[in-house]
Amino acid sequence: MNKNNIILIGMPGVGKSTAGVVLAKILGYKFIDMDIVIQEEQGKLLKDIIEDEGVDGFIAIENFANARMNPERSVISTGGSAIYGTSAMEHYKEIGTVVYLKIGFDAINERVNNLKGRGVVLKEGQTLKDIYEERTVLYEKYADVIIDETGLDVEKTIAAILEKMGIS
């Protein structure tokens, strides 16, 4: 099995899609945004899927969609909650390099103002800080490469990814 894909993980608002599109252009790879794939497959917006299926139902749908992705030479931007899907994350580690785009909570808090509108998976009573603390452990567990984005713009983030992966 080829490990020629790059899988971007991280919190909502960290810039997975933005960095992913540019990275794919630089490498001549395809770009796949899993949030859009899921919306197209389900025929509705993420927030509506979460509302209709509940948090656990959405996570199951997301896990299934991620676990069966089998592209070649692609940059895949996952949803922030993809790391709750064990089979999906194990699959991603088999087909590519998992890159965690990491940034501090304050920066995420500034960037993400409408959680429900974005289709962010929040259990009853959870805050953004709660999911940040819960997910950070999982992002670090699954990451092959960690990029600390503190103070980096998109170009510098991409340069850091390429450098850490040994791609010139």
Side-chain angles (χ1 to χ4, degrees):
M1 188 172 295
N2 271 341
K3 279 192 68 151
N4 62 4
N5 299 292
I6 298 171
I7 297 94
L8 302 177
I9 63 172
M11 283 293 291
V14 80
K16 297 179 298 289
S17 296
T18 306
V21 167
V22 179
L23 188 59
K25 282 182 186 174
I26 289 170
L27 296 172
Y29 279 25
K30 285 183 288 211
F31 174 72
I32 301 168
D33 186 316
M34 287 307 298
D35 284 346
I36 293 172
V37 169
I38 292 166
Q39 286 185 162
E40 286 175 352
E41 286 178 355
Q42 298 295 313
K44 46 189 163 181
L45 298 174
L46 295 180
K47 67 184 178 76
D48 297 328
I49 301 167
I50 294 166
E51 197 173 294
D52 295 348
E53 305 294 333
V55 168
D56 293 337
F58 175 79
I59 288 171
I61 289 167
E62 183 178 43
N63 186 44
F64 180 73
N66 282 304
R68 65 179 176 26
M69 289 305 294
N70 221 354
E72 294 284 323
R73 297 174 47 83
S74 297
V75 176
I76 302 168
S77 170
T78 64
S81 55
I83 40 89
Y84 293 128
T86 306
S87 57
M89 292 310 302
E90 287 170 357
H91 172 67
Y92 277 145
K93 287 185 77 66
E94 286 174 11
I95 67 161
T97 302
V98 177
V99 178
Y100 168 30
L101 300 182
K102 177 181 181 172
I103 198 160
F105 174 73
D106 291 340
I108 293 293
N109 200 27
E110 276 177 32
R111 295 179 189 188
V112 180
N113 40 17
N114 182 3
L115 291 176
K116 294 262 190 257
R118 277 187 76 129
V120 174
V121 171
L122 278 175
K123 294 179 188 119
E124 196 63 43
Q126 264 191 331
T127 64
L128 182 60
K129 181 84 169 150
D130 294 335
I131 65 168
Y132 180 84
E133 290 173 355
E134 179 178 279
R135 292 180 183 181
T136 299
V137 178
L138 295 169
Y139 294 136
E140 289 177 0
K141 172 185 172 184
Y142 289 113
D144 295 311
V145 173
I146 298 176
I147 304 296
D148 186 344
E149 287 193 300
T150 308
L152 302 184
D153 60 16
V154 176
E155 284 75 23
K156 288 181 180 154
T157 295
I158 289 162
I161 293 169
L162 294 172
E163 182 185 330
K164 280 238 178 142
M165 291 186 65
I167 303 170
S168 48

